[in-house]
Amino acid sequence: MPVEETETEVILTHPKDASTKVSILKYGATITSWKNQGDEKLWLSKAAKLDGSKPVRGGVPLVFPCFGKCKDESNPAYKLPQHGFARNSTWEFLGQTTEDPLTVQFGLGPEQVDEELYKLWNDGLYDFTLILSITLGDNYLKTNIEVENTGDKDFKFNWLFHTYFNVPDITDIIVNNLTDAKCYDQLIGETYEEKAPMISFTEEFDRIYQGIDTQKTFQMIELGKVVMNVQRENLPDTVVWNPWIKKSEGMADFEPKKGYMNMLCIEPGHVAEFKNLKSGEKWSGAQILSTGGEIKVQTNI
Ligand code: BG6
């Protein structure tokens, strides 16, 4: 069966290849596993809570309507917890929409969000519908989000796919095509232009790359071989994060403690600025992850 639904999750199996699968937890509509021809592409902490008590540490958590902790008191998202409420709400499974490629949808509206939590966003006066479409292809996984403002008030939001990749050894990984991008380094609180031709990882890393042409593909290259391509639609920003030793020690749900060596977050989103959405309007953005291919250097787009 290409689509199996249990009480807590939905599992997609590629119709032509049973070793290509994706598992989605209804809690957070969090993708917890993507096996491509038997190979796990996503990192999931061994201590991740999968019972709805806490956002999942790993996979692809969804960030909405604010990225991080909103520091602007005048922003209606100010009282919300870090990364908002989409990752800690149980989404409704809407079913399969296409057979080839295999696509399913999940939906979230105010009625699925914990009441107390929802009230923290402008006293619960906004109305919205989120539709997440997940497509499992031969060698790709696409996640598309549509945000609709179904209320009578305009609102502003951030969106981000907080994707945790599984890597054999982070020190063997480089990521390309971020050269010349404007970047806010969250660790030092400074904005500068990325000058490195490729970024590599030997310590804690937490940068928000901003306003990057969506024709650019980020490639994760392991010892000279492309292991992942990250493409975006309508998502201008990308956060790159690795907590390294100290930060991961401080996270109770991060296991094994040496797991920072086996993960890298590349998180396409719309986070450098809030997106304004007028009453009745829709907005969408997507992340497309694919395996293999040649190294492609895209400098001057
Ligand atoms: C990243 C942020 O996107 O998420 C980091 O850039 C943050 O600053 C990380 O630490 C994890 O956040 P959380 O809330 O899942 O611990």
Side-chain angles (χ1 to χ4, degrees):
M1 267 235 297
V3 181
E4 281 167 74
E5 181 185 3
T6 70
E7 207 182 314
T8 54
E9 65 176 352
V10 175
I11 298 160
L12 310 185
T13 306
H14 194 285
K16 295 186 198 107
D17 172 14
S19 66
T20 294
K21 275 174 174 283
V22 65
S23 307
I24 309 126
L25 199 65
K26 291 181 185 173
Y27 179 72
T30 317
I31 296 176
T32 52
S33 162
W34 170 33
K35 282 206 177 95
N36 185 252
Q37 295 171 11
D39 248 3
E40 181 58 62
K41 298 296 173 193
L42 301 176
W43 184 84
L44 180 67
S45 164
K46 300 257 179 296
K49 297 277 181 220
L50 303 176
D51 60 358
S53 57
K54 198 180 180 340
V56 177
R57 177 70 60 204
V60 189
L62 305 174
V63 170
F64 174 88
C66 60
F67 167 73
K69 185 78 191 92
C70 177
K71 296 189 186 81
D72 172 8
E73 267 188 72
S74 68
N75 189 313
Y78 181 70
K79 292 186 196 147
L80 283 174
Q82 158 122 334
H83 296 337
F85 52 68
R87 65 176 182 166
N88 39 18
S89 302
T90 300
W91 292 51
E92 187 185 347
F93 178 51
L94 303 173
Q96 181 175 347
T97 54
T98 59
E99 262 176 44
D100 190 13
L102 183 57
T103 303
V104 294
Q105 289 187 327
F106 290 81
L108 186 81
E111 58 285 2
Q112 274 98 28
V113 183
D114 172 81
E115 218 181 308
E116 291 307 306
L117 183 58
Y118 192 59
K119 276 198 198 134
L120 300 177
W121 195 35
N122 199 28
D123 296 324
L125 293 173
Y126 295 140
D127 208 348
F128 69 88
T129 306
L130 300 183
I131 304 283
L132 175 75
S133 305
I134 300 175
T135 303
L136 178 66
D138 294 346
N139 72 334
Y140 74 91
L141 178 67
K142 177 170 180 176
T143 49
N144 183 88
I145 188 69
E146 184 183 276
V147 182
E148 182 174 3
N149 184 342
T150 44
D152 52 12
K153 289 180 186 53
D154 301 355
F155 62 73
K156 47 187 182 177
F157 66 94
N158 291 144
W159 179 267
L160 175 125
F161 293 105
H162 199 306
T163 312
Y164 288 74
F165 291 107
N166 191 20
V167 298
D169 181 342
I170 184 70
T171 60
D172 289 340
I173 299 288
I174 51 177
V175 177
N176 68 2
N177 296 329
L178 287 160
T179 317
D180 293 335
K182 183 176 165 191
C183 139
Y184 177 70
D185 189 323
Q186 304 221 77
L187 301 176
I188 54 173
E190 275 180 29
T191 301
Y192 51 87
E193 246 180 47
E194 180 59 77
K195 281 297 160 206
M198 305 263 184
I199 55 173
S200 57
F201 306 92
T202 52
E203 59 187 345
E204 188 182 354
F205 200 103
D206 194 353
R207 296 183 194 165
I208 307 172
Y209 290 96
Q210 310 176 8
I212 309 156
D213 195 310
T214 50
Q215 284 182 52
K216 284 195 179 180
T217 300
F218 310 127
Q219 296 182 301
M220 256 172 46
I221 299 164
E222 184 196 356
L223 302 173
K225 195 173 148 224
V226 177
V227 288
M228 189 62 63
N229 302 282
V230 180
Q231 288 171 283
R232 300 156 294 134
E233 286 172 5
N234 207 23
L235 296 175
D237 312 315
T238 295
V239 177
V240 181
W241 179 61
N242 184 297
W244 217 253
I245 304 169
K246 237 170 127 194
K247 213 18 120 35
S248 40
E249 267 170 10
M251 290 187 271
D253 61 351
F254 195 103
E255 287 288 349
K257 285 300 167 208
K258 280 212 159 151
Y260 70 91
M261 286 294 286
N262 304 113
M263 51 88 42
L264 177 65
C265 286
I266 302 180
E267 313 162 24
H270 193 304
V271 295
E273 282 170 14
F274 279 83
K275 169 77 193 160
N276 282 306
L277 199 62
K278 291 206 170 83
S279 163
E281 278 189 350
K282 282 184 188 172
W283 170 94
S284 66
Q287 151 182 282
I288 305 120
L289 312 176
S290 61
T291 56
E294 298 294 309
I295 297 179
K296 214 162 66 172
V297 179
Q298 297 168 292
T299 41
N300 297 316
I301 292 180

